[in-house]
Amino acid sequence: MAGGQSRSSLNKPCILLIVIAGMERFAFKGVASNLVTYLTDVAKMSNSAAAKKVNNWCGITSMLPLLVAPLADSYLDRYTTVLASSSLYVAGLLALTSLALQWPWTNSADKSGFCSSLSWSLNLISLGQAGYNPSLQAFGADQFDDDEELPSSKNDQSSKKKSSFFQWWYFGICCGSLLGVSIMSYIQDTLGWGLGFAIPSIAMAISVIVFRFGNRFYTHKDGEIIHIKSLGDHIVKAVKAATSRLTCGEIAVPTYTNKSNVVEIELEDRPLCQQDSGSKDGADRKSENGINFVKILKVVLPLMPVWTLLLMFAVIFQQPATFFTKQGVTMKRNIGNNFRIPPAALQSSITISIILLMPLYDTFFIPFVRVFTRNEKGITVMQRMGIGMFLSVIAMIIAAVTERKRLDISRNLVTSSETVPMSIFWLLPQYILLGISDIFTVVGMQEFFYSEVPTNMRTLGIALYTSVFGCGSFFSSFLISVIENLTSTRGAKQNWFSDDMRKARFDNYYWFLALSSAASFLLFMVFCRFYRSRTITD
């Protein structure tokens, strides 16, 4: 890395990894953003079933890193984990593409076989992403000149650079998401699902190749570089060691101190696994050690209140890809005589608002707020998350009002047409406001969970951040099931999520989410007054 680079700028490896992360987001969003339409139009699922399917898949995708991260931190280095998991990721995308290409020649009566193959493809993507995303982001954070650049410390410059990294990382993945949502939803709706899934598969494969051949630029914190020819042997050795340890019930137990801090300072320097003094190198050390479950619990449990209070934000986060998209299907989408906006493409307004407004966060918002807070960072990480939570509540209130207007217009129609004479652009305010809330909450979450864990547990820290959205997806499916049962009428399949969009009551659901999220926000404010960070930056 260049030794004379500006202290406030990102280095070349970080920029390269941000580009790679953006390509991965293009691939993932190219599949996920319009998946609900694929399930309803091709798999012939109901609105509620398709929404729950998407939510459950997103939940699995976001929760699996919690299982993979301790293994990656204990037995594999982050570079190796990215390479290994990316192969599963690409395999899942290729399987999904193959399924879409075969569909026109598949017996339509074999719905169960199709759904089974679809689930296997999606789960393979989830398994690959479980190791890929948290390891790639933690590996990117490792690319600074020294270990004191990113860990929270007394140095305000280090803290500012840490915030800058996570902000630009999110900016990069938003750029990839924008292309995936806007371009791929149009291709899928107009040119077919086979091509629509093939392009993300190719993009993901290219990103893996770029990551592999960029190895000479990277800094490997553990001092080792795993070459591709030894990758398989390294993984097999690590799996055997992990299995042996878990089977024998060997759990490394940390030495306790008499200090009352939630997380002792000694955790910063102690390894995640107890290490044998006679080990020959870093790879052997990682594979010969056991997972320190006690230490993991000791670090994670104090973070669980914040994790829990962010769940409702994660539930709201699921709406653009599910019910917002189904709303858009029923609205006027024409631009001119020939072009129709794909409903899922409106999700791109979230990422556009992030891309346009995020540079203004550092340029205008922070200097303005700094005058009042006298904090070098403008606002603390906790305050940043709280602002985003508040904005998400406002977004759901606007969504409820807009949906009520759509329902009133549709019920006054003389014809039974499913298209409501109301422009799809009425949905833009709720999308844009969610984008602004993301600038605050999502970036704040990344920094919070990364900073609140010891240096050698940062893959787990990133996994904690993604698991909020995973659990939020499952919780969203649970809420849909409960509300669907409570609001169903006897002898009819009508409820708040009715397939007949003139009888569905998405507006009531949005009000419910707004009230629930407001309660979480108030509890979060109360909790912040008592929470003591393990860092000193706030």
Side-chain angles (χ1 to χ4, degrees):
M1 293 180 292
Q5 66 183 6
S6 170
R7 293 282 295 177
S8 60
S9 63
L10 297 180
N11 53 40
K12 292 179 181 179
C14 276
I15 295 173
L16 176 61
L17 292 171
I18 287 174
V19 172
I20 291 171
M23 295 176 70
E24 182 277 330
R25 282 294 90 182
F26 168 81
F28 181 77
K29 285 295 185 179
V31 172
S33 63
N34 209 20
L35 185 60
V36 68
T37 304
Y38 182 71
L39 295 177
T40 53
D41 292 355
V42 177
K44 304 302 179 182
M45 291 184 179
S46 64
N47 285 342
S48 60
K52 286 187 285 187
K53 179 76 171 179
V54 173
N55 285 335
N56 288 334
W57 176 58
C58 291
I60 292 173
T61 302
S62 300
M63 290 297 291
L64 275 177
L66 275 182
L67 300 178
V68 177
L71 297 175
D73 282 332
S74 301
Y75 300 109
L76 294 173
D77 64 286
R78 289 159 188 161
Y79 178 80
T80 305
T81 305
V82 171
L83 284 180
S85 56
S86 63
S87 61
L88 296 176
Y89 202 150
V90 173
L93 288 170
L94 291 176
L96 186 63
T97 303
S98 175
L99 191 64
L101 291 173
Q102 294 174 8
W103 174 251
W105 295 275
T106 303
N107 184 2
S108 59
D110 188 19
K111 184 176 180 179
S112 60
F114 170 79
C115 291
S116 177
S117 300
L118 177 64
S119 296
W120 275 106
S121 301
L122 294 176
N123 289 337
L124 199 57
I125 294 174
S126 299
L127 187 60
Q129 207 181 77
Y132 186 90
N133 277 346
S135 297
L136 184 67
Q137 188 168 4
F139 185 68
D142 287 343
Q143 300 308 305
F144 287 81
D145 290 332
D146 56 71
D147 287 337
E148 297 302 320
E149 292 281 6
L150 274 175
S152 299
S153 65
K154 296 180 180 179
N155 190 323
D156 288 338
Q157 187 65 34
S158 297
S159 178
K160 288 171 63 178
K161 193 164 187 179
K162 176 183 63 178
S163 297
S164 177
F165 168 76
F166 286 111
Q167 185 156 309
W168 286 107
W169 179 275
Y170 194 55
F171 180 86
I173 64 177
C174 283
C175 290
S177 298
L178 172 62
L179 294 176
V181 170
S182 57
I183 296 176
M184 297 318 305
S185 60
Y186 176 77
I187 291 177
Q188 290 159 358
D189 286 354
T190 57
L191 301 180
W193 293 98
L195 181 62
F197 288 153
I199 294 176
S201 303
I202 295 172
M204 184 62 197
I206 292 175
S207 74
V208 175
I209 295 173
V210 172
F211 175 80
R212 173 65 185 91
F213 285 98
N215 186 47
R216 63 192 181 94
F217 298 109
Y218 305 143
T219 296
H220 295 261
K221 291 297 183 180
D222 53 10
E224 64 176 354
I225 301 177
I226 306 298
H227 296 285
I228 195 67
K229 62 182 181 180
S230 62
L231 178 61
D233 294 338
H234 189 71
I235 295 173
V236 169
K237 182 190 293 185
V239 171
K240 286 182 178 179
T243 304
S244 176
R245 285 278 180 175
L246 294 175
T247 302
C248 297
E250 297 183 17
I251 302 176
V253 181
T255 302
Y256 293 95
T257 67
N258 294 323
K259 296 181 179 180
S260 58
N261 294 344
V262 175
V263 181
E264 288 86 354
I265 299 300
E266 67 180 38
L267 292 183
E268 187 74 32
D269 299 320
R270 285 185 175 227
L272 181 59
C273 306
Q274 299 293 339
Q275 297 185 357
D276 298 330
S277 57
S279 49
K280 297 179 181 179
D281 53 44
D284 290 336
R285 259 199 320 271
K286 284 177 178 275
S287 63
E288 291 175 4
N289 298 319
I291 299 176
N292 192 328
F293 292 108
V294 175
K295 176 182 174 181
I296 290 174
L297 289 176
K298 200 172 184 181
V299 171
V300 169
L301 287 180
L303 305 180
M304 291 311 295
V306 174
W307 187 93
T308 303
L309 292 173
L310 287 167
L311 281 180
M312 284 310 303
F313 177 83
V315 171
I316 291 176
F317 198 84
Q318 305 303 318
Q319 305 314 307
T322 53
F323 293 129
F324 282 12
T325 299
K326 293 305 296 183
Q327 281 178 268
V329 172
T330 68
M331 304 173 78
K332 287 183 61 178
R333 298 181 280 129
N334 293 74
I335 296 181
N337 296 324
N338 300 321
F339 182 76
R340 298 187 72 197
I341 301 173
L346 217 61
Q347 295 174 47
S348 62
S349 59
I350 295 178
T351 50
I352 290 175
S353 62
I354 293 172
I355 291 170
L356 294 178
L357 297 177
M358 187 171 285
L360 301 181
Y361 179 87
D362 279 334
T363 307
F364 296 104
F365 180 78
I366 293 302
F368 175 75
V369 174
R370 190 182 294 138
V371 175
F372 301 97
T373 63
R374 297 182 181 180
N375 186 323
E376 185 64 23
K377 292 173 62 178
I379 56 176
T380 66
V381 173
M382 303 291 278
Q383 289 170 341
R384 183 169 186 164
M385 290 189 289
I387 292 173
M389 293 172 69
F390 174 77
L391 292 177
S392 70
V393 174
I394 304 301
M396 293 315 299
I397 293 175
I398 294 175
V401 173
T402 303
E403 173 61 8
R404 183 64 194 182
K405 181 178 179 64
R406 187 196 69 82
L407 282 174
D408 290 340
I409 295 176
S410 67
R411 289 171 179 173
N412 291 329
L413 290 178
V414 178
T415 63
S416 59
S417 173
E418 291 186 0
T419 302
V420 177
M422 178 180 178
S423 174
I424 194 174
F425 293 114
W426 276 91
L427 300 179
L428 273 180
Q430 63 205 55
Y431 278 101
I432 293 174
L433 205 53
L434 283 181
I436 299 174
S437 72
D438 282 5
I439 294 175
F440 288 91
T441 300
V442 176
V443 177
M445 288 169 63
Q446 291 177 350
E447 183 177 348
F448 175 80
F449 287 108
Y450 183 89
S451 301
E452 294 295 312
V453 299
T455 305
N456 52 11
M457 295 176 65
R458 285 180 180 152
T459 304
L460 178 62
I462 300 299
L464 279 172
Y465 145 69
T466 62
S467 70
V468 174
F469 296 99
C471 218
S473 297
F474 289 128
F475 190 45
S476 180
S477 294
F478 172 75
L479 289 177
I480 292 173
S481 297
V482 172
I483 293 174
E484 188 176 27
N485 290 329
L486 292 177
T487 61
S488 295
T489 57
R490 294 184 178 179
K493 294 183 178 179
Q494 294 181 7
N495 51 67
W496 283 6
F497 311 111
S498 173
D499 291 340
D500 187 345
M501 291 297 289
R502 292 180 300 175
K503 297 178 181 178
R505 295 305 305 268
F506 289 174
D507 57 328
N508 287 345
Y509 182 59
Y510 294 155
W511 278 116
F512 170 77
L513 293 181
L515 291 174
S516 301
S517 188
S520 294
F521 168 67
L522 293 176
L523 291 173
F524 182 81
M525 290 179 61
V526 173
F527 178 79
C528 287
R529 294 182 63 88
F530 301 97
Y531 183 76
R532 293 293 178 266
S533 173
R534 68 180 294 273
T535 68
I536 310 177
T537 54
D538 290 346

